[in-house]
PDB file of all heavy atoms in Angstrom:
ATOM      1  N   SER P 130     -13.590   3.442 -18.764  1.00 82.00           N
ATOM      2  CA  SER P 130     -12.549   2.750 -19.471  1.00 82.00           C
ATOM      3  C   SER P 130     -11.805   3.663 -20.412  1.00 82.00           C
ATOM      4  O   SER P 130     -10.910   3.229 -21.106  1.00 82.00           O
ATOM      5  CB  SER P 130     -13.239   1.667 -20.357  1.00 82.00           C
ATOM      6  OG  SER P 130     -14.221   2.171 -21.175  1.00 82.00           O
ATOM      7  N   GLY P 131     -12.184   5.000 -20.296  1.00 75.00           N
ATOM      8  CA  GLY P 131     -11.405   5.908 -21.109  1.00 75.00           C
ATOM      9  C   GLY P 131     -12.161   6.407 -22.287  1.00 75.00           C
ATOM     10  O   GLY P 131     -11.872   7.500 -22.905  1.00 75.00           O
ATOM     11  N   GLN P 218      23.263 -15.145 -20.268  1.00 72.00           N
ATOM     12  CA  GLN P 218      23.803 -15.632 -21.408  1.00 72.00           C
ATOM     13  C   GLN P 218      24.868 -14.777 -22.108  1.00 72.00           C
ATOM     14  O   GLN P 218      25.939 -15.210 -22.515  1.00 72.00           O
ATOM     15  CB  GLN P 218      22.669 -15.924 -22.468  1.00 72.00           C
ATOM     16  CG  GLN P 218      21.557 -16.774 -22.023  1.00 72.00           C
ATOM     17  CD  GLN P 218      21.995 -18.188 -21.537  1.00 72.00           C
ATOM     18  OE1 GLN P 218      22.964 -18.659 -21.961  1.00 72.00           O
ATOM     19  NE2 GLN P 218      21.265 -18.605 -20.629  1.00 72.00           N
ATOM     20  N   GLN P 238      15.419 -13.418 -13.064  1.00 82.00           N
ATOM     21  CA  GLN P 238      14.303 -14.404 -13.066  1.00 82.00           C
ATOM     22  C   GLN P 238      14.325 -15.130 -11.760  1.00 82.00           C
ATOM     23  O   GLN P 238      13.608 -16.051 -11.567  1.00 82.00           O
ATOM     24  CB  GLN P 238      14.565 -15.419 -14.184  1.00 82.00           C
ATOM     25  CG  GLN P 238      14.544 -14.851 -15.524  1.00 82.00           C
ATOM     26  CD  GLN P 238      13.244 -14.129 -15.904  1.00 82.00           C
ATOM     27  OE1 GLN P 238      12.194 -14.495 -15.305  1.00 82.00           O
ATOM     28  NE2 GLN P 238      13.239 -13.190 -16.659  1.00 82.00           N
ATOM     29  N   TYR P 328       7.095 -14.175 -11.829  1.00 82.00           N
ATOM     30  CA  TYR P 328       5.801 -14.335 -11.312  1.00 82.00           C
ATOM     31  C   TYR P 328       5.299 -13.335 -10.212  1.00 82.00           C
ATOM     32  O   TYR P 328       5.027 -13.688  -9.113  1.00 82.00           O
ATOM     33  CB  TYR P 328       5.512 -15.755 -10.809  1.00 82.00           C
ATOM     34  CG  TYR P 328       6.671 -16.602 -10.260  1.00 82.00           C
ATOM     35  CD1 TYR P 328       6.910 -16.624  -8.918  1.00 82.00           C
ATOM     36  CD2 TYR P 328       7.481 -17.269 -11.146  1.00 82.00           C
ATOM     37  CE1 TYR P 328       7.978 -17.395  -8.511  1.00 82.00           C
ATOM     38  CE2 TYR P 328       8.504 -18.034 -10.710  1.00 82.00           C
ATOM     39  CZ  TYR P 328       8.811 -18.032  -9.421  1.00 82.00           C
ATOM     40  OH  TYR P 328       9.854 -18.782  -8.853  1.00 82.00           O
ATOM     41  N   TYR P 339      -0.575   0.882 -13.918  1.00 92.00           N
ATOM     42  CA  TYR P 339      -0.375   0.803 -15.337  1.00 92.00           C
ATOM     43  C   TYR P 339      -1.151  -0.282 -15.919  1.00 92.00           C
ATOM     44  O   TYR P 339      -1.830  -0.121 -16.941  1.00 92.00           O
ATOM     45  CB  TYR P 339       1.060   0.775 -15.624  1.00 92.00           C
ATOM     46  CG  TYR P 339       1.405   0.428 -17.029  1.00 92.00           C
ATOM     47  CD1 TYR P 339       1.349   1.437 -18.039  1.00 92.00           C
ATOM     48  CD2 TYR P 339       1.635  -0.866 -17.485  1.00 92.00           C
ATOM     49  CE1 TYR P 339       1.625   1.167 -19.321  1.00 92.00           C
ATOM     50  CE2 TYR P 339       1.987  -1.176 -18.728  1.00 92.00           C
ATOM     51  CZ  TYR P 339       1.937  -0.111 -19.671  1.00 92.00           C
ATOM     52  OH  TYR P 339       2.193  -0.370 -20.999  1.00 92.00           O
ATOM     53  N   PHE P 343      -4.078   0.582 -18.497  1.00 86.00           N
ATOM     54  CA  PHE P 343      -3.810   0.467 -19.915  1.00 86.00           C
ATOM     55  C   PHE P 343      -3.823  -0.901 -20.488  1.00 86.00           C
ATOM     56  O   PHE P 343      -4.001  -1.043 -21.662  1.00 86.00           O
ATOM     57  CB  PHE P 343      -2.361   1.062 -20.200  1.00 86.00           C
ATOM     58  CG  PHE P 343      -2.388   2.627 -20.076  1.00 86.00           C
ATOM     59  CD1 PHE P 343      -2.148   3.101 -18.806  1.00 86.00           C
ATOM     60  CD2 PHE P 343      -2.745   3.379 -21.139  1.00 86.00           C
ATOM     61  CE1 PHE P 343      -2.191   4.530 -18.767  1.00 86.00           C
ATOM     62  CE2 PHE P 343      -2.738   4.799 -21.018  1.00 86.00           C
ATOM     63  CZ  PHE P 343      -2.435   5.372 -19.807  1.00 86.00           C
ATOM     64  N   ARG P 344      -3.789  -1.915 -19.615  1.00 86.00           N
ATOM     65  CA  ARG P 344      -3.850  -3.285 -20.111  1.00 86.00           C
ATOM     66  C   ARG P 344      -5.431  -3.754 -20.007  1.00 86.00           C
ATOM     67  O   ARG P 344      -5.883  -4.385 -20.946  1.00 86.00           O
ATOM     68  CB  ARG P 344      -2.951  -4.223 -19.498  1.00 86.00           C
ATOM     69  CG  ARG P 344      -1.548  -4.028 -19.797  1.00 86.00           C
ATOM     70  CD  ARG P 344      -1.145  -4.659 -21.164  1.00 86.00           C
ATOM     71  NE  ARG P 344       0.067  -4.135 -21.645  1.00 86.00           N
ATOM     72  CZ  ARG P 344       0.101  -3.088 -22.422  1.00 86.00           C
ATOM     73  NH1 ARG P 344      -1.007  -2.451 -22.899  1.00 86.00           N
ATOM     74  NH2 ARG P 344       1.216  -2.611 -22.848  1.00 86.00           N
ATOM     75  N   LYS P 345      -5.979  -3.471 -18.893  1.00 87.00           N
ATOM     76  CA  LYS P 345      -7.338  -4.056 -18.651  1.00 87.00           C
ATOM     77  C   LYS P 345      -8.396  -2.889 -18.889  1.00 87.00           C
ATOM     78  O   LYS P 345      -9.587  -3.208 -18.715  1.00 87.00           O
ATOM     79  CB  LYS P 345      -7.459  -4.586 -17.240  1.00 87.00           C
ATOM     80  CG  LYS P 345      -6.393  -5.655 -16.904  1.00 87.00           C
ATOM     81  CD  LYS P 345      -6.556  -6.168 -15.524  1.00 87.00           C
ATOM     82  CE  LYS P 345      -5.235  -6.869 -15.172  1.00 87.00           C
ATOM     83  NZ  LYS P 345      -5.115  -7.018 -13.645  1.00 87.00           N
ATOM     84  N   LEU P 346      -7.897  -1.741 -19.266  1.00 88.00           N
ATOM     85  CA  LEU P 346      -8.913  -0.603 -19.548  1.00 88.00           C
ATOM     86  C   LEU P 346      -9.837  -0.384 -18.370  1.00 88.00           C
ATOM     87  O   LEU P 346     -10.981  -0.026 -18.518  1.00 88.00           O
ATOM     88  CB  LEU P 346      -9.663  -0.858 -20.844  1.00 88.00           C
ATOM     89  CG  LEU P 346      -8.947  -1.299 -22.066  1.00 88.00           C
ATOM     90  CD1 LEU P 346      -9.865  -1.349 -23.197  1.00 88.00           C
ATOM     91  CD2 LEU P 346      -7.738  -0.490 -22.312  1.00 88.00           C
TER      92      LEU P 346
ATOM     93  N   ASP H 166      -0.620  -0.162 -28.525  1.00 86.00           N
ATOM     94  CA  ASP H 166      -1.410  -0.549 -27.379  1.00 86.00           C
ATOM     95  C   ASP H 166      -1.409   0.531 -26.274  1.00 86.00           C
ATOM     96  O   ASP H 166      -2.359   0.777 -25.600  1.00 86.00           O
ATOM     97  CB  ASP H 166      -0.788  -1.938 -26.784  1.00 86.00           C
ATOM     98  CG  ASP H 166      -1.883  -2.681 -26.036  1.00 86.00           C
ATOM     99  OD1 ASP H 166      -3.019  -2.202 -25.946  1.00 86.00           O
ATOM    100  OD2 ASP H 166      -1.536  -3.723 -25.476  1.00 86.00           O
ATOM    101  N   ASP H 167      -0.267   1.161 -26.165  1.00 84.00           N
ATOM    102  CA  ASP H 167      -0.229   2.341 -25.114  1.00 84.00           C
ATOM    103  C   ASP H 167      -0.865   3.523 -25.556  1.00 84.00           C
ATOM    104  O   ASP H 167      -1.326   4.317 -24.711  1.00 84.00           O
ATOM    105  CB  ASP H 167       1.379   2.589 -24.887  1.00 84.00           C
ATOM    106  CG  ASP H 167       1.998   1.461 -23.987  1.00 84.00           C
ATOM    107  OD1 ASP H 167       1.190   0.690 -23.386  1.00 84.00           O
ATOM    108  OD2 ASP H 167       3.125   1.420 -23.863  1.00 84.00           O
ATOM    109  N   LEU H 170      -5.646   3.889 -26.313  1.00 87.00           N
ATOM    110  CA  LEU H 170      -6.553   4.258 -25.258  1.00 87.00           C
ATOM    111  C   LEU H 170      -6.630   5.766 -24.963  1.00 87.00           C
ATOM    112  O   LEU H 170      -7.679   6.332 -25.048  1.00 87.00           O
ATOM    113  CB  LEU H 170      -6.360   3.525 -23.918  1.00 87.00           C
ATOM    114  CG  LEU H 170      -7.112   3.929 -22.662  1.00 87.00           C
ATOM    115  CD1 LEU H 170      -8.581   3.664 -22.950  1.00 87.00           C
ATOM    116  CD2 LEU H 170      -6.679   3.225 -21.412  1.00 87.00           C
ATOM    117  N   SER H 174      -9.869   8.215 -25.810  1.00 84.00           N
ATOM    118  CA  SER H 174     -10.530   9.093 -24.840  1.00 84.00           C
ATOM    119  C   SER H 174     -10.381  10.531 -25.272  1.00 84.00           C
ATOM    120  O   SER H 174     -11.232  11.315 -24.817  1.00 84.00           O
ATOM    121  CB  SER H 174      -9.934   8.870 -23.468  1.00 84.00           C
ATOM    122  OG  SER H 174      -8.530   8.799 -23.495  1.00 84.00           O
ATOM    123  N   ARG H 188      -5.560  -8.752 -27.803  1.00 90.00           N
ATOM    124  CA  ARG H 188      -5.888  -7.459 -27.172  1.00 90.00           C
ATOM    125  C   ARG H 188      -7.322  -7.016 -27.649  1.00 90.00           C
ATOM    126  O   ARG H 188      -7.812  -6.088 -27.004  1.00 90.00           O
ATOM    127  CB  ARG H 188      -4.874  -6.402 -27.456  1.00 90.00           C
ATOM    128  CG  ARG H 188      -3.533  -6.689 -26.928  1.00 90.00           C
ATOM    129  CD  ARG H 188      -3.416  -6.583 -25.375  1.00 90.00           C
ATOM    130  NE  ARG H 188      -3.805  -5.242 -24.969  1.00 90.00           N
ATOM    131  CZ  ARG H 188      -4.362  -4.974 -23.730  1.00 90.00           C
ATOM    132  NH1 ARG H 188      -4.664  -5.917 -23.005  1.00 90.00           N
ATOM    133  NH2 ARG H 188      -4.640  -3.782 -23.396  1.00 90.00           N
ATOM    134  N   HIS H 288       8.281 -18.160 -19.937  1.00 83.00           N
ATOM    135  CA  HIS H 288       7.258 -17.079 -19.701  1.00 83.00           C
ATOM    136  C   HIS H 288       7.480 -15.969 -20.710  1.00 83.00           C
ATOM    137  O   HIS H 288       8.557 -15.984 -21.476  1.00 83.00           O
ATOM    138  CB  HIS H 288       7.514 -16.575 -18.355  1.00 83.00           C
ATOM    139  CG  HIS H 288       8.703 -15.708 -18.111  1.00 83.00           C
ATOM    140  ND1 HIS H 288       9.947 -16.279 -18.078  1.00 83.00           N
ATOM    141  CD2 HIS H 288       8.944 -14.432 -18.038  1.00 83.00           C
ATOM    142  CE1 HIS H 288      10.900 -15.375 -17.942  1.00 83.00           C
ATOM    143  NE2 HIS H 288      10.279 -14.232 -17.902  1.00 83.00           N
ATOM    144  N   GLY H 340      14.205 -19.827 -17.162  1.00 83.00           N
ATOM    145  CA  GLY H 340      14.011 -18.347 -16.928  1.00 83.00           C
ATOM    146  C   GLY H 340      14.151 -17.632 -18.246  1.00 83.00           C
ATOM    147  O   GLY H 340      14.447 -16.442 -18.285  1.00 83.00           O
ATOM    148  N   ARG H 354      23.285 -20.186 -30.180  1.00 91.00           N
ATOM    149  CA  ARG H 354      23.545 -20.831 -28.961  1.00 91.00           C
ATOM    150  C   ARG H 354      22.458 -21.859 -28.590  1.00 91.00           C
ATOM    151  O   ARG H 354      22.603 -22.514 -27.593  1.00 91.00           O
ATOM    152  CB  ARG H 354      23.722 -19.810 -27.774  1.00 91.00           C
ATOM    153  CG  ARG H 354      24.843 -18.892 -28.050  1.00 91.00           C
ATOM    154  CD  ARG H 354      25.324 -18.274 -26.760  1.00 91.00           C
ATOM    155  NE  ARG H 354      25.428 -19.247 -25.676  1.00 91.00           N
ATOM    156  CZ  ARG H 354      25.644 -18.898 -24.445  1.00 91.00           C
ATOM    157  NH1 ARG H 354      25.574 -17.675 -23.990  1.00 91.00           N
ATOM    158  NH2 ARG H 354      25.702 -19.843 -23.475  1.00 91.00           N
ATOM    159  N   ASP H 472      -4.820 -11.333 -17.364  1.00 88.00           N
ATOM    160  CA  ASP H 472      -4.584 -12.032 -16.058  1.00 88.00           C
ATOM    161  C   ASP H 472      -4.534 -13.519 -16.341  1.00 88.00           C
ATOM    162  O   ASP H 472      -3.798 -14.242 -15.613  1.00 88.00           O
ATOM    163  CB  ASP H 472      -5.822 -11.771 -15.155  1.00 88.00           C
ATOM    164  CG  ASP H 472      -5.731 -10.443 -14.442  1.00 88.00           C
ATOM    165  OD1 ASP H 472      -4.604  -9.835 -14.534  1.00 88.00           O
ATOM    166  OD2 ASP H 472      -6.699  -9.988 -13.883  1.00 88.00           O
ATOM    167  N   ARG H 483       7.362 -21.282 -12.464  1.00 90.00           N
ATOM    168  CA  ARG H 483       7.592 -21.933 -11.212  1.00 90.00           C
ATOM    169  C   ARG H 483       7.738 -23.425 -11.331  1.00 90.00           C
ATOM    170  O   ARG H 483       8.516 -24.056 -10.606  1.00 90.00           O
ATOM    171  CB  ARG H 483       6.440 -21.558 -10.172  1.00 90.00           C
ATOM    172  CG  ARG H 483       6.490 -20.141  -9.804  1.00 90.00           C
ATOM    173  CD  ARG H 483       5.470 -19.702  -8.905  1.00 90.00           C
ATOM    174  NE  ARG H 483       5.579 -20.497  -7.608  1.00 90.00           N
ATOM    175  CZ  ARG H 483       4.717 -20.318  -6.560  1.00 90.00           C
ATOM    176  NH1 ARG H 483       3.797 -19.390  -6.623  1.00 90.00           N
ATOM    177  NH2 ARG H 483       4.897 -20.984  -5.504  1.00 90.00           N
TER     178      ARG H 483
END
Side-chain angles (χ1 to χ4, degrees):
Chain P
S130 56
Q218 309 299 334
Q238 300 302 334
Y328 30 97
Y339 169 78
F343 288 89
R344 288 281 160 269
K345 302 178 198 163
L346 311 190
Chain H
D166 206 3
D167 284 345
L170 174 63
S174 46
R188 295 292 297 154
H288 72 287
R354 296 201 51 195
D472 281 349
R483 292 182 59 181

